[in-house]
Amino acid sequence: MTTPPISPRVQATYRAYIVHTQKCRPCRSGTNCDSAEQLRTAYKAAEREAGQ
C-alpha cells in the first residue's frame, strides 16, 4: 500500500510551524508561543481539509 501524496498546503503550513518553533526562543524551551499555536492550528486545519 502506498501513502497518498501530502497536499502542498499541508506541507507549507507544517513547515512554517516547524521553522518557527526552531527559531523562537520560548518555543525552543518547550513552551509554544501564541504565534506557534496559530501556526499549529493552521496546519491542523489544512490536514483536515485535505483529509489527511
Side-chain angles (χ1 to χ4, degrees), residues 23-44:
K23 291 181 178 180
C24 173
R25 186 175 304 231
C27 291
R28 285 195 325 255
S29 69
T31 303
N32 280 357
C33 69
D34 290 340
S35 293
E37 287 301 324
Q38 290 173 351
L39 290 166
R40 183 180 176 280
T41 299
Y43 160 60
K44 292 298 184 180

Side-chain angles (χ1 to χ4, degrees), residues 10-22 36 39-40:
V10 172
Q11 288 178 342
T13 55
Y14 181 72
R15 185 178 190 312
Y17 171 69
I18 294 302
V19 167
H20 172 84
T21 58
Q22 290 174 342
L39 290 166
R40 183 180 176 280

